[in-house]
């Protein structure tokens, strides 16, 4: 029954992709055997990699032929090493630096960056090393997810100074950072359970604009820096350029009106709660 409900979750989520301004989706890594069905995706292991040196021959081959290494950059929590969800990303940076030193031409995407230190490291690297930033990490800090399952998803949001660094990476990054939604469904299965995850996909681009607005109000970024060219780049253009994908033939139009985030998306036996349910939100139309 649990697998059936998870399958329903995915079938409810997929139709929301375009609503958030996306027309190209990178979903899963390559695996052997290849993952070709939803059932196989649901059964894919959630275990992380402990030692990367085992994969050095693979990284060398990837570097040679121009493949990209997309990496969730966190060390495993370890009480003895004083590593928790709050410092796991920074604890992983030495490993990432070692990878870059050994494979300087390898294309590396550090996915869903959350800390000022990670932003600075990516900035210091050549153009082949970039980072993605999620819509929710531009808005949340630790106090927003502590005790709120619908704002909790690894990597967790960190301190206000980290959020400020992410916002400034967006407006000053010049293509080193671009949107990566990392949108996990927040599901209420039946009536009593909820699974952690920040479900942003139905309003991905809209949430980014809201986060930038709020940052301007707090005095953390200059409104003059939020240009159409910046939004075109961060929301899609820079990512397409990095991956060698042709520019989209379609465009999105974002307007501010009376729209609000819906309370939930529902399927048979499943209710999926979006980030900031009920809050005012920008409207998006495809052109």
């Amino acid at each position: 029954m649990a697998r059936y409900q998870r399958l329903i979750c995915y079938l409810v989520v997929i139709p929301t992709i375009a609503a958030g301004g996306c027309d190209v989706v990178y979903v899963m890594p390559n695996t052997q055997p290849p993952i070709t069905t939803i059932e196989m995706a649901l059964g894919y292991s959630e275990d992380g990699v402990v030692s990367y040196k085992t994969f050095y021959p693979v990284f060398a081959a990837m570097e040679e032929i121009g493949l990209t290494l997309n990496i969730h950059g966190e060390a495993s929590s370890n009480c003895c090493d004083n590593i928790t969800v709050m410092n796991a990303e920074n604890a992983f940076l030495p490993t990432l630096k070692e990878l870059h030193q050994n494979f300087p031409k390898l294309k590396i995407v550090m996915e869903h960056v959350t800390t000022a230190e990670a932003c600075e490291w990516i900035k210091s690297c050549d153009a082949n090393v970039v980072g993605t930033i999620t819509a929710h990490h531009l808005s949340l800090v630790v106090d927003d997810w502590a005790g709120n399952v619908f704002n909790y998803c690894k990597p967790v949001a960190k301190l206000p100074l980290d959020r400020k660094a992410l916002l400034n990476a967006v407006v000053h990054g010049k293509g080193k950072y671009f949107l990566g939604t990392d949108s996990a469904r927040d599901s209420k299965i039946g009536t009593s359970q909820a699974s952690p995850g920040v479900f942003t996909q139905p309003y991905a681009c809209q949430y980014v604009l809201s986060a930038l607005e709020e940052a301007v109000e707090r005095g953390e970024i200059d409104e003059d820096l939020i240009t159409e060219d910046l939004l075109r780049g961060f929301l899609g253009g820079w990512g397409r350029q990095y991956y060698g994908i042709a520019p989209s033939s379609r465009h999105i139009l974002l307007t501010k009106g009376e729209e609000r985030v819906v309370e939930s998306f529902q399927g048979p036996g499943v209710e999926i709660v979006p980030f900031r349910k009920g809050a005012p939100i920008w409207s998006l139309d495809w052109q």
Side-chain angles (χ1 to χ4, degrees):
M1 178 63 71
R3 288 179 61 84
Y4 168 76
Q5 289 170 325
R6 291 176 66 193
L7 176 60
I8 293 297
C9 282
Y10 281 97
L11 295 178
V12 174
V13 168
I14 289 171
T16 72
I17 292 173
C22 299
D23 63 356
V24 173
V25 179
Y26 280 67
V27 180
M28 289 293 295
N30 291 328
T31 58
Q32 291 297 330
I35 292 176
T36 56
T37 68
I38 292 177
E39 289 78 8
M40 293 175 70
L42 294 175
Y44 183 67
S45 171
E46 296 180 353
D47 294 336
V49 175
V50 177
S51 174
Y52 284 82
K53 291 186 178 180
T54 304
F55 298 94
Y56 273 19
V58 177
F59 299 151
M62 293 174 67
E63 182 181 44
E64 182 177 354
I65 64 177
L67 285 180
T68 300
L69 175 64
N70 300 77
I71 196 160
H72 177 130
E74 287 192 297
S76 299
S77 293
N78 187 318
C79 292
C80 295
D81 294 332
N82 200 38
I83 298 174
T84 72
V85 294
M86 287 299 294
N87 63 358
E89 182 167 294
N90 289 344
F92 183 78
L93 287 178
T95 299
L96 203 52
K97 292 175 181 178
E98 184 179 354
L99 281 176
H100 184 48
Q101 289 168 356
N102 282 286
F103 307 98
K105 295 183 180 179
L106 176 63
K107 297 181 69 176
I108 298 175
V109 180
M110 186 174 181
E111 300 286 0
H112 39 59
V113 177
T114 64
T115 67
E117 289 85 350
C119 287
E120 284 301 311
W121 180 75
I122 292 168
K123 181 181 177 181
S124 71
C125 295
D126 293 332
N128 58 308
V129 178
V130 300
T132 63
I133 299 175
T134 74
H136 57 280
H137 285 134
L138 293 174
S139 296
L140 298 175
V141 295
V142 57
D143 287 353
D144 296 315
W145 62 259
N148 185 339
V149 69
F150 298 115
N151 286 342
Y152 173 76
C153 189
K154 293 183 179 179
V156 299
K158 305 300 193 302
L159 303 178
L161 63 85
D162 294 302
R163 179 181 62 185
K164 183 177 179 179
L166 296 178
L167 289 159
N168 277 275
V170 172
V171 297
H172 295 292
K174 299 179 180 178
K176 288 288 285 182
Y177 315 87
F178 46 83
L179 177 63
T181 60
D182 188 42
S183 182
R185 85 279 189 289
D186 288 330
S187 61
K188 293 181 178 178
I189 299 175
T191 59
S192 60
Q193 294 179 318
S195 59
V198 181
F199 184 44
T200 58
Q201 188 55 57
Y203 305 95
C205 293
Q206 302 92 305
Y207 286 133
V208 171
L209 262 67
S210 294
L212 294 174
E213 267 190 319
E214 292 162 5
V216 169
E217 293 173 359
R218 292 192 301 267
E220 294 179 346
I221 57 175
D222 188 340
E223 185 175 10
D224 293 340
L225 297 174
I226 307 173
T227 64
E228 184 174 333
D229 286 343
L230 171 72
L231 294 175
R232 285 180 182 273
F234 180 74
L235 296 178
W238 294 333
R240 286 176 177 270
Q241 183 177 2
Y242 183 82
Y243 285 111
I245 302 173
S248 177
S249 60
R250 306 171 67 197
H251 302 280
I252 58 173
L253 176 65
L254 290 155
T255 57
K256 195 170 186 180
E258 301 300 321
E259 186 171 354
R260 289 182 174 271
V261 178
V262 300
E263 292 292 322
S264 66
F265 295 85
Q266 299 184 22
V270 172
E271 182 180 7
I272 303 175
V273 180
F275 181 49
R276 289 189 166 181
K277 64 176 183 176
I281 193 68
W282 290 70
S283 296
L284 184 148
D285 294 293
W286 283 94
Q287 305 291 300

